[in-house]
Amino acid sequence: ASRAFCRASREPRPIGAMAEQTRSHGGLWPAIRLVERSVVAMGIVAIVSCILWGVATRYVLHTPSPWISEVAAIAFCWSSLFGGALLYDTNGHPRMYEPTAIASAALRRLTLAAGGLVEAAVLALLAWYSLKQTYINLHNPTSILRLSVGGVYYAPLAWFALSSLARLASGARQWI
C-alpha cells in the first residue's frame, strides 16, 4: 500500500480513505467534507438519472429530451470538481511531498514549502481564470434550458475555495 510521510510525527501513515479515518474530526472540517460529499453524490445521481431518462425517452417513448446533455454536463462539472476538492483534503491522490519521506528534515521543510507555494499558485491561477470566465459568460444562456453559462464556472471557484481551505488546514497541521 502507498504510504505518505506524516510530517508531524515522523511516522508513515496511509493515504486515501485510511488517512481520513485517522484524522481528527473537530471544528469546521466535517461540515466542509459533508458539503463536498453531498455535492458529489447529488451530481452523480443527477448524471445517472439524466442518462437513464435520456435512454427512456429516446428508445421507449420515442421523443428524446433535448435538455439531458446540458444537465448532465453541469452535474459532471460540479461533481468532478467537488470530488477533486474532497480528494485534495483527504490525501486521496499522490502529493508532491511523498518523495521527501527519506530526505533530511531541512530539505523536507524546504521541499514542502516550495510545493505549497506551487500548489497555491496553481489554485490562485485557476480561481482567476474561473472568475474571468464566470464574468464573461454571466449573461450567455445555455442553448436549451437558457441557464447562465457562468453558473458552470462557479464550480471551479467553489473548488478553489474548498481546496484552499483544506490546504491551509493541512499546512497548519504540518507546521504546528
Side-chain angles (χ1 to χ4, degrees):
S2 178
R3 299 174 80 78
F5 192 80
C6 182
R7 296 165 303 278
S9 65
R10 295 183 182 241
E11 295 176 8
R13 74 168 182 213
I15 59 174
M18 293 294 290
E20 184 170 349
Q21 292 174 1
T22 61
R23 213 178 262 190
S24 64
H25 294 284
L28 183 63
W29 303 117
I32 290 175
R33 286 191 198 120
L34 180 63
V35 168
E36 290 170 342
R37 287 186 179 123
S38 299
V39 171
V40 171
M42 287 186 296
I44 291 172
V45 167
I47 293 167
V48 171
S49 300
C50 284
I51 291 171
L52 291 175
W53 181 256
V55 169
T57 59
R58 179 178 296 271
Y59 296 109
V60 176
L61 302 175
H62 302 290
T63 54
S65 296
W67 53 268
I68 295 297
S69 63
E70 283 185 16
V71 173
I74 292 169
F76 179 77
C77 180
W78 278 81
S79 62
S80 63
L81 287 169
F82 271 78
L86 184 63
L87 283 175
Y88 198 77
D89 183 33
T90 59
N91 288 332
H93 62 86
R95 291 274 181 108
M96 290 174 30
Y97 62 78
E98 288 185 21
T100 64
I102 58 173
S104 68
L107 182 59
R108 182 171 45 256
R109 287 193 186 273
L110 179 65
T111 306
L112 288 171
L117 289 174
V118 169
E119 287 180 57
V122 168
L123 288 174
L125 189 63
L126 175 70
W128 168 251
Y129 281 114
S130 177
L131 187 61
K132 183 178 173 183
Q133 287 299 320
T134 299
Y135 180 73
I136 290 170
N137 292 300
L138 197 57
H139 299 292
N140 293 337
T142 59
S143 60
I144 296 170
L145 295 176
R146 310 307 288 171
L147 299 172
S148 171
V149 176
V152 174
Y153 293 104
Y154 292 142
L157 284 174
W159 178 82
F160 168 74
L162 291 173
S163 297
S164 297
L165 286 173
R167 185 66 188 143
L168 287 173
S170 173
R173 285 190 301 264
Q174 165 187 335
W175 298 108
I176 293 177

